[in-house]
Amino acid sequence: MTDFRDVHAEQRFEQGFTDPDGQLRTVFADYAVQGGTRVILHVEADPALRGTGAAGQFMQAMAEHARAEKLKLATRCSYAVARLKRHPDFDDVAA
């Protein structure tokens, strides 16, 4: 697994995870900036990572990043909406 990173120039959060075959793959979230809020437009895991829990770990890292940076997350992506609803421990970063 690589460190969670905010690629400001691309308005994208991303993190690498190792798939079952040992290859490094990416989970990413595209976002729009609205002041101190990041509007999560789309979350995608490389198909080789699906079912491994990588997307959930990524979402946890994104929430921790938002807390550390004092950001709010507004979710538009259906996966991100559902994930935040299922995890009340993310309520403090939800916009």
Side-chain angles (χ1 to χ4, degrees), residues 20-91:
D21 294 327
Q23 297 292 321
L24 188 62
R25 310 287 182 160
T26 303
V27 179
F28 69 87
D30 292 323
Y31 64 80
V33 176
Q34 293 181 350
T37 299
R38 299 300 175 261
V39 181
I40 307 304
L41 304 171
H42 178 74
V43 176
E44 186 172 328
D46 185 287
L49 293 173
R50 294 201 178 132
T52 66
Q57 291 176 51
F58 171 78
M59 292 295 294
Q60 179 67 39
M62 186 166 50
E64 290 169 3
H65 173 78
R67 281 187 193 108
E69 297 297 317
K70 299 194 181 354
L71 299 171
K72 293 290 185 179
L73 302 174
T75 54
R76 298 297 178 264
C77 166
S78 60
Y79 173 77
V81 168
R83 182 77 183 185
L84 265 68
K85 281 184 182 178
R86 286 193 314 264
H87 289 272
D89 52 316
F90 293 168
D91 285 353

